[in-house]
Structure formats: structure tokens, C-alpha cells
Amino acid sequence: MTVMELEQRRPEVQSQDGESSYADTMARITSSVPAESTSFVGRRLELHKVKQLLSKYRSLVLTGPAGVGKTRLAKQAATTVERAFDRVVYVALEGETSEAGFARALQLALDFESSGARSAAEWIVGMPPTESVLLVLDGCERVWQECAEFIDSVDANSSVSIIATSRRRLGTVGGVTWAVPPMALPSEGAAQSLTDAARIDSVALFVSRAQSVYPAFELTDRNLASVSELCARLDGLPLALELAAARMRALSVEQLVARLDNRFRLLTLEPGNRRRPKLSLWDVLAESFATCSDDERGMWSASSVFAGSFSLDDIEAVCCATDDERIAAADVVTGLIDQSVFGYVEQSGGLEYRLLDTLRKYGAEQLEADGATRSMRLRHLAWISDLARDTEPFWTGPEGVRRSDKLLLRHSDILAALHFSLYEQRDPAPALRLAADLRVHWMSANRVEEGLGWVTAALEAYDRDDELRAVGLSVAIYLSALDSQIERADQLLVSCRELAARLQQPLISAHCAFDEGLTRWAKGEAEAAAALLEDAYHRYRALAATSNQREALFILGMVLANDGDLAGSLDEVESNLAGMADEAHWWGSGYVLWIRGYAALKHKDIERAQKLLRQCITQMQPHNDRSIIWWCLELLGWVAAEQSSLQLAAQLLGAASTFGPHHLPPVLQEQHDRHVAAARRALGGAKADRLHYKGTLLTMQQAVELAITGGDRAPRRTHDTLGEEKLSERELEVAKLIAQGHSNKAIATALVISTRTAEGHVQKILAKRGFASRSQIAAWIGESAHDEPEQHDTH
């Protein structure tokens, strides 16, 4: 039977006054789960998830990397649900490595010798169905096959439930496996109050443990950033956080953070008495490393060169030196996932793998010990350089968009490769080539200033006047113009033109014309900009530089559309764009629609602008051309503002900020700022910010739907669907009463239920929503109430 069935079956023990007695019920339960010396902190959502799974399945395997808190969660879960069982048995398997050891541990825990059974499995299967047992099998990774066979063999007895913990998957036939996540972390870059931060599980655990060794410690405004960084860099791993907190008797939080690069020496707890063994993060990870096969250990070490997530293709390119290794890579990756070394996440491009930073650091230590760090970093540099070079400078089409999206996902690897080449290898040529090939990436990733810094640093270290320097100068001009550093762009233009004249390279001369045209437009010199951009286009066309042609034409179209007084016409630009298109002209015709829509907007023909831009985004969305979708969202936000649909404008501009670069050409930035200011004046700053943020939460499909419909059929996010799990109708009633300030007793009276039942509903709401207090429930209901559809009386 499941936990839910057992709870429903168990009769209540009545006390003399007729009320069920909790003490009497507990007196019938025997439990061998060891008591903990420290309090259990956080994990409300995880506990709810475990109980939910046990209500559906009789066996549950909790997996996860070393130190993630599987054992503590299993013990707490067993204590939470123990009232559903006659007996709760804890079986410690840590250190057991053989079938005999596994059998012996079971025998000692179950004490079944007197029954005459030959094995634990036989004893469990033969238990009468009137008795119920919960087994906690803790630390199954060393005897995972024996555990899997045991769990499957006792599945026939419906009165037995099992919670097992293991660093590797057991591969049981029945039941369910759930990976325990690290503790919740503070949101990166988000401002949080002390009260909110203290409710975050990782922060709460660190503070609690720190206070146990240094009672005067408090979370303050001064140390909040350091505590948040500590929790993030330790991946929210409970073991690492507890070991770090133990150091608070001698170090401050800031000192701990400064020493985390040497975390394996730092995070060690010496025994305080003879009964407590030494606890070391290194030793715990070393045990996990030892259980891996040779191939798995090799891939764990090699994959430590990735700074972020990575795909199977990336592993094959960087970590595999031979065809045989590439063929075997999928099996090795599967093994590391089963061992809880690799985690995985679904991305738009497919399945991605990741290493927690602590596991990455351990792998890097092993790579260094093998003397393979430099060779692997060189392979990593070559891989990211190839990806940057193969991504078109101005992306178009499904393949170009896919590669550009991948570069965005690999930004941390880009930075790691640049640092390695420029500062560790002291070889500026690969760094300059990589930084230059990423010209448009720096814009699309909203990293223009950062990209300019890398290009400048590489140029300063590069001592040759050749084509690579000229390309680097051109990219520096481009990024300076986008960053509104016009004086710097002008200075670089002089150097670039002089070098181009010496090199006699037609492509460099074309780049100079384009860069100067962009700079002139940034200055507001539209006529000169148009002439230079047109010249650049013809130069690129003569050189068959297709991608550069597209970009020059698109920017030229912007210039012409923006300034109606120019003598030039959009007709030729549109004709050339359409002529360069492929796939039934979808690309060129889509960009033509956008340029026409922008021109209509500039000429105050708002209705026509809206029609053209909606037609453009409808046509381009199926092709996932992120750049033009972003431009459409941005301009449709302006259209909404011009139509006084300011709430819609705020949301569309919020969506645009999510899906595109935050840097606009200076001329367009002025118009963007004007429309944002209009929305803020009309709506008020707080409401405008809230609507802008709401727009950032939309998926691309939702944002496009909002842009096309104007909100008439836009997706709603009501307060019963915003969270991890939908509330029941009764729970929603309770949440609304909490928001009205009712106590549990008042809720019980209003809904004609017992106070104890009301308390249960409140706890379920807290667990499902991940809240820590009733005030959070009230705030949530208040914030989401305006999103509810109006209720009409049908009587």
C-alpha cells in the first residue's frame, strides 16, 4: 500500500473524551531512525515531493551527488510519515561493499532471526498484510545491485514501503527514482531584503549552522552579499555549507569566500572527540570518484574544462581524442548521470549536461594531477573558436540562429577561453581572433562593453600590423559605436584606415566603410551614414561577403526609414534584401516588412506600422529568427505607447528586453527612452516596472501572441497556476482567507472544518508554493488577484 492508502486505512485511537490521541497513536509506532544532533532546516518543497511520491509508489530511490543531503532528507521524510506505519526501520549501508555485508546489515536492522526466515527478503515477503513497515535503505551506492534486487523482490508485499538513498541509480523495475536537488539559492543579481534572503534554504542552513559555532553571528545588510556568494559557489550543497559554517569560529564570511578556490583544504572538519570521525569534502568526493569506471573518471576530469553546461557534441569535440572515444561517449555520459556526477537540463537545442561547481573543481584537480590540464584547455579553446568562426556575423536562417543561440549558452566558456589564451598562454592571436569573431555575439548577449574590453586587451598585446589587427580594429570601432563611445570610434577609424591602405585588403576597406557609416549614424549624420553604408554594401557584394551584405543593407534600411528627408529610397534596399533571401524569400521579405513598418511608425502612420510589424513577426516566428522577433517586439511596444495602450507597451518592452540585446543604436535608443518615459508617467513608476517585469516572464511564443493580439487572447498567469503545483479548490479558499487575515481557527469556522484540518491545508499551501510564512501567501494572493478573469453572476 502507498502512504496515502495506509493513512486512510489506519484507525484513529480514541482517547477517553472521544478525541483521537496523537500520543496514543505514536505509542504504537516503533522507529529505528537515528536522531540527529542538529535541527532540520528548510527543504519544505522536497519533503512535500517525497511524501507525494510515496503516496503513488511503494518504493522511492533518492539519488544525487555526495553532500546533497539525501540521507538527511530521507530520515526527515521517514519521521514525517511514520504515523502511517507500524514500524519504521533504518538500515545503514554506508561502507558495505558485498552481498554478504548487505545481508548482514538487513538482518541486524530487521531482527528477523526468530521468524525462521532464510533471508530478509523472505521475511519481508512473508509479513502479514495487517502490519505495515517503512524501510529506509541509506547509502546503497556500493551495493546497488543487491539493493535493486531486494527492492524488486519485496515489491509483492503491499504493506512494505521503501525509501532508499544512493549516489547512483539503482535501476529498480518498479517504484520511482527522484534526484534530490541542491538547496535553493538566492537569485543571481536580484535585490533581496534580509527577511526574504533568510527564508532561502541555503542561506537559512548556513546561518543556522554558523550560529551553532559562533552564536553572535547574524545575517546583516553588510554580509548578505557574501553569504549569498558563498551559498552559490558551494552550489547549495548542504555538506559544503555545513563545513563552511564550521569555519565561522575562526573566519568571517568574507574570508571564507576569498578562500573558496582552495575549498578542499578549507572544508574539512577535524574530530572533536574520538567517536566523531574527520569529515572532509575532498574525501567524500574521492569516494564518489573511486566508484566510477576508468572511462567515467577520465570524462569527469576532462569535462571540468567546461565553464557552463555542455552537450554530447561538445564532449565529443573537446574530451574525446579518438573515434573510439567518441563512439563510447554516450555510454560514458550515461554512466556519469547514473552516478549523479552529471546533472542534465532541457535546453531549446536539446539535452545539456552540467557539473556542479564543486564537482568541477574536483575534476580539475584530477586533471592537473594527470598533467593534462594544458592540452585539454587548448582543445577547449579550439572548440569555442571554431564555434565562433562558424557562426555568421549577422545571423539568419535556422542554422545561423541555432549557432547564435549556442554561443549565448556558452558565454562562460567564451570568457574562460579568452582568459586562458591571453593571460595564461600569453598568446594574444587566438584571443584576438576569437573576440573579433564574436562581434555580433557581444551585442546579442548584451555584453558590448565587455566585448570591447577583450578586443582592446588583445589588440594591446598583439604586436603585428596585419590583417588580424585590422579586423580587431574594425570590431573595436563597431562596438565603440554601439556603446556610444563616438570619440573612441573616430580615433580607431583613423588607425584602421591607415592599416587598410598599407595592407591593400578589399575586405578591410569594406569594413572601414561600414564602421564609419555606423559611427556617422550614431552622430546623427544620416546622409553621410547612408552613403557610407551603401558603399560598404557594394564592396561586400563584389567580394561575395553575403552575411556582411545583409547587415549593411539592414542598417542602411534603418537609416533611410528613420530620416524621411534623405534623397535615397527604400525601394532598392528592399529589392536587394529580397533578392538575397532563400527558403521562398522568407528572410528578405520579413526584413522588408520590418523596415516598412519602422518607416510607417516614423511617419506617424501608426495603424499601418502595427499591421506591417504584426505581419513580420507572424512570418518570422516559425523560423525562430530571434533578431527580427526582438526588433518587432521593440517597435510594437512603441506602437502600443503611441496608441496609449501603455500597459501593453510596458509588457512588450519587457519581453523585448529578454529576447534581444539591450544596446540600441543611439538614434533608436532615444526613441526607446521616450516611449518608456511616457509609460512611466501615465502608469506610475511602480506599476510600469511591474508590467515590464511581467513581460520578461513570457516565453517567446507568449510574447509573440501578446504582440499579435494586443492582449485580447494573451496568456493569463492566475494565482492557481503560477507555482510548482496547482492548489486544490479548497486550498485556494484557505489561501484567500489567509489573505483576509483569518487565523486557522477562523478559517475552520468559516469552512465548517476542524482546526486541525485547516492547519493541514495551510501546510500543504506552504509546501506547494515554496513559502515560509502566511504573510507570503497573503502577498501572493494580493499580487495575483488583478490577473483573475472577472466573475459574472449567472443567476
Side-chain angles (χ1 to χ4, degrees):
M1 293 185 184
T2 63
V3 169
M4 182 178 295
E5 292 168 335
L6 286 165
E7 286 181 328
Q8 292 170 347
R9 186 194 68 173
R10 180 177 295 286
E12 291 286 351
V13 177
Q14 301 294 316
S15 61
Q16 291 181 352
D17 59 4
E19 294 293 326
S20 61
S21 168
Y22 178 79
D24 290 342
T25 302
M26 291 303 295
R28 298 192 300 104
I29 300 170
T30 61
S31 174
S32 65
V33 177
E36 295 287 348
S37 59
T38 56
S39 60
F40 185 81
V41 178
R43 295 292 204 185
R44 177 178 277 110
L45 282 175
E46 289 84 349
L47 278 171
H48 176 71
K49 183 70 174 181
V50 169
K51 187 170 181 180
Q52 183 186 55
L53 290 172
L54 281 175
S55 71
K56 298 177 180 178
Y57 306 94
R58 290 204 304 277
S59 63
L60 166 63
V61 182
L62 302 179
T63 63
V68 81
K70 301 180 295 296
T71 293
R72 196 66 189 270
L73 179 62
K75 289 180 177 179
Q76 187 69 21
T79 302
T80 302
V81 302
E82 65 182 5
R83 292 185 62 207
F85 299 92
D86 296 307
R87 189 177 179 190
V88 179
V89 180
Y90 177 80
V91 186
L93 297 171
E94 185 178 0
E96 300 295 349
T97 58
S98 66
E99 184 178 359
F102 171 72
R104 182 172 58 253
L106 279 175
Q107 180 175 333
L108 290 172
L110 294 169
D111 189 24
F112 64 85
E113 284 185 343
S114 60
S115 70
R118 289 173 297 179
S119 68
E122 182 180 310
W123 183 81
I124 286 287
V125 171
M127 279 181 53
T130 54
E131 296 185 23
S132 58
V133 173
L134 172 64
L135 293 178
V136 181
L137 306 179
D138 186 26
C140 300
E141 54 272 355
R142 292 278 189 171
V143 285
W144 65 274
Q145 290 174 311
E146 290 79 3
C147 288
E149 291 173 2
F150 172 75
I151 292 171
D152 287 337
S153 68
V154 301
D155 192 54
N157 192 323
S158 61
S159 294
V160 180
S161 294
I162 296 175
I163 302 176
T165 73
S166 176
R167 293 174 193 168
R168 67 159 299 149
R169 294 180 68 89
L170 301 185
T172 54
V173 175
V176 65
T177 297
W178 184 61
V180 177
M183 282 187 144
L185 295 171
S187 300
E188 186 177 357
Q192 287 182 309
S193 67
L194 281 176
T195 302
D196 288 340
R199 294 190 182 112
I200 298 169
D201 281 359
S202 58
V203 174
L205 178 66
F206 176 78
V207 171
S208 174
R209 299 300 186 255
Q211 289 174 341
S212 69
V213 298
Y214 180 49
F217 177 75
E218 291 183 2
L219 187 67
T220 66
D221 289 324
R222 293 185 62 183
N223 65 25
L224 175 58
S226 294
V227 171
S228 297
E229 182 180 354
L230 179 82
C231 293
R233 291 184 61 185
L234 293 179
D235 305 301
L237 287 174
L239 174 62
L241 291 170
E242 294 194 357
L243 291 174
R247 289 287 187 177
M248 287 294 292
R249 65 187 187 275
L251 300 176
S252 68
V253 181
E254 293 76 14
Q255 289 172 322
L256 278 171
V257 171
R259 288 160 174 77
L260 282 182
D261 284 342
N262 194 23
R263 68 187 64 186
F264 295 116
R265 286 189 178 182
L266 179 71
L267 302 183
T268 300
L269 184 62
E270 297 296 333
N273 56 60
R274 285 177 294 180
R275 289 188 294 178
R276 189 182 71 186
K278 175 183 177 181
L279 187 59
S280 162
L281 183 62
W282 175 272
D283 291 340
V284 170
L285 292 179
E287 183 180 348
S288 292
F289 195 73
T291 62
C292 294
S293 68
D294 289 343
D295 288 342
E296 290 166 351
R297 286 193 288 268
M299 187 172 288
W300 181 349
S301 301
S303 63
S304 68
V305 298
F306 293 113
S309 63
F310 44 92
S311 68
L312 182 59
D313 288 342
D314 301 334
I315 289 173
E316 291 171 347
V318 177
C319 304
C320 302
T322 67
D323 288 340
D324 287 343
E325 289 179 351
R326 280 183 279 274
I327 291 170
D331 289 335
V332 180
V333 167
T334 301
L336 287 170
I337 290 173
D338 286 348
Q339 297 270 36
S340 300
V341 176
F342 282 179
Y344 54 88
V345 61
E346 288 282 353
Q347 298 284 6
S348 58
L351 196 64
E352 296 264 319
Y353 312 111
R354 60 182 176 83
L355 273 170
L356 293 178
D357 191 55
T358 299
L359 273 66
R360 179 181 290 109
K361 293 282 187 186
Y362 185 87
E365 295 269 359
Q366 301 305 313
L367 197 65
E368 183 68 28
D370 292 339
T373 299
R374 181 176 179 275
S375 62
M376 199 57 64
R377 295 291 298 277
L378 285 171
R379 291 174 63 88
H380 178 268
L381 172 61
W383 159 74
I384 202 70
S385 298
D386 288 344
L387 179 61
R389 184 176 59 252
D390 292 341
T391 302
E392 288 197 30
F394 194 63
W395 64 90
T396 58
E399 186 61 20
V401 171
R402 186 191 68 79
R403 289 174 176 167
S404 180
D405 285 346
K406 185 164 185 175
L407 278 177
L408 290 172
L409 288 173
R410 302 293 179 263
H411 189 77
S412 55
D413 285 288
I414 288 169
L415 301 185
L418 286 167
H419 189 277
F420 170 71
S421 175
L422 197 55
Y423 298 118
E424 296 177 45
Q425 284 290 102
R426 298 191 179 278
D427 184 0
L432 181 55
R433 171 59 65 188
L434 174 57
D437 285 340
L438 294 166
R439 182 175 67 94
V440 174
H441 168 79
W442 299 117
M443 179 188 70
S444 62
N446 192 28
R447 306 276 186 160
V448 170
E449 186 177 358
E450 181 180 60
L452 183 57
W454 281 109
V455 174
T456 301
L459 282 169
E460 290 174 352
Y462 192 70
D463 58 3
R464 282 173 282 178
D465 284 342
D466 56 8
E467 183 180 353
L468 179 56
R469 170 173 285 279
V471 170
L473 286 169
S474 172
V475 173
I477 297 164
Y478 175 84
L479 296 175
S480 297
L482 287 180
D483 204 37
S484 299
Q485 298 187 42
I486 308 304
E487 185 177 346
R488 182 176 188 176
D490 281 336
Q491 293 171 351
L492 291 167
L493 263 169
V494 174
S495 300
C496 192
R497 284 200 177 279
E498 290 176 352
L499 184 54
R502 292 201 303 272
L503 294 174
Q504 293 294 304
Q505 291 282 348
L507 184 60
I508 301 302
S509 298
H511 289 336
C512 287
F514 175 81
D515 293 332
E516 186 174 358
L518 189 63
T519 304
R520 290 293 188 96
W521 190 35
K523 291 179 179 181
E525 301 172 6
E527 190 168 355
L532 285 161
L533 290 166
E534 187 173 4
D535 177 42
Y537 162 69
H538 288 298
R539 289 173 182 267
Y540 286 137
R541 185 173 182 177
L543 296 168
T546 305
S547 183
N548 297 104
Q549 288 180 68
R550 290 184 180 126
E551 186 173 17
L553 277 174
F554 185 53
I555 302 299
L556 176 58
M558 280 189 180
V559 174
L560 295 175
N562 191 69
D563 197 321
D565 296 331
L566 288 178
S569 168
L570 285 172
D571 292 341
E572 185 179 356
V573 172
E574 293 179 351
S575 175
N576 287 325
L577 278 171
M580 294 177 64
D582 51 15
E583 293 189 28
H585 301 286
W586 69 266
W587 186 88
S589 60
Y591 275 65
V592 166
L593 285 169
W594 186 91
I595 291 173
R596 283 296 187 192
Y598 179 50
L601 182 60
K602 285 294 295 180
H603 289 84
K604 300 298 183 181
D605 191 349
I606 307 303
E607 296 301 323
R608 175 172 167 76
Q610 183 183 63
K611 179 180 178 181
L612 289 166
L613 292 167
R614 285 181 172 179
Q615 187 179 348
C616 176
I617 200 171
T618 300
Q619 178 174 316
M620 301 300 278
Q621 195 270 338
H623 298 283
N624 193 33
D625 191 329
R626 190 186 60 254
S627 58
I628 198 65
I629 290 173
W630 166 66
W631 282 111
C632 286
L633 290 172
E634 176 71 27
L635 262 63
L636 282 167
W638 300 2
V639 166
E642 293 287 345
Q643 294 174 325
S644 299
S645 299
L646 298 171
Q647 295 189 42
L648 175 62
Q651 289 186 67
L652 288 175
L653 292 173
S657 71
T658 300
F659 299 113
H662 297 179
H663 280 271
L664 288 163
V667 175
L668 299 184
Q669 186 67 49
E670 294 174 9
Q671 298 175 66
H672 170 89
D673 293 343
R674 177 167 58 83
H675 289 104
V676 168
R680 292 180 65 82
R681 282 195 304 271
L683 298 172
K687 186 173 183 179
D689 289 343
R690 186 167 65 248
L691 289 166
H692 184 279
Y693 176 69
K694 188 175 181 179
T696 67
L697 300 177
L698 298 175
T699 65
M700 181 174 285
Q701 180 60 46
Q702 290 171 333
V704 169
E705 183 181 351
L706 181 63
I708 293 171
T709 65
D712 293 338
R713 297 192 308 274
R716 294 186 176 272
R717 295 171 59 84
T718 60
H719 62 64
D720 62 341
T721 59
L722 276 170
E724 295 295 327
E725 187 176 347
K726 186 175 180 179
L727 301 186
S728 67
E729 290 185 11
R730 176 48 61 91
E731 289 162 356
L732 194 54
E733 284 183 284
V734 172
K736 289 177 178 178
L737 290 171
I738 290 172
Q740 295 169 18
H742 287 59
S743 66
N744 287 349
K745 186 175 181 179
I747 292 171
T749 300
L751 299 180
V752 195
I753 57 178
S754 69
T755 302
R756 184 173 176 182
T757 300
E759 291 171 354
H761 286 313
V762 173
Q763 291 303 313
K764 287 181 180 179
I765 294 168
L766 292 170
K768 287 185 177 183
R769 305 303 311 175
F771 292 148
S773 68
R774 297 167 69 93
S775 61
Q776 285 182 292
I777 298 174
W780 166 58
I781 290 292
E783 287 176 1
S784 53
H786 68 277
D787 281 334
E788 285 190 280
E790 294 184 7
Q791 300 295 321
H792 300 285
D793 192 349
T794 58
H795 298 288

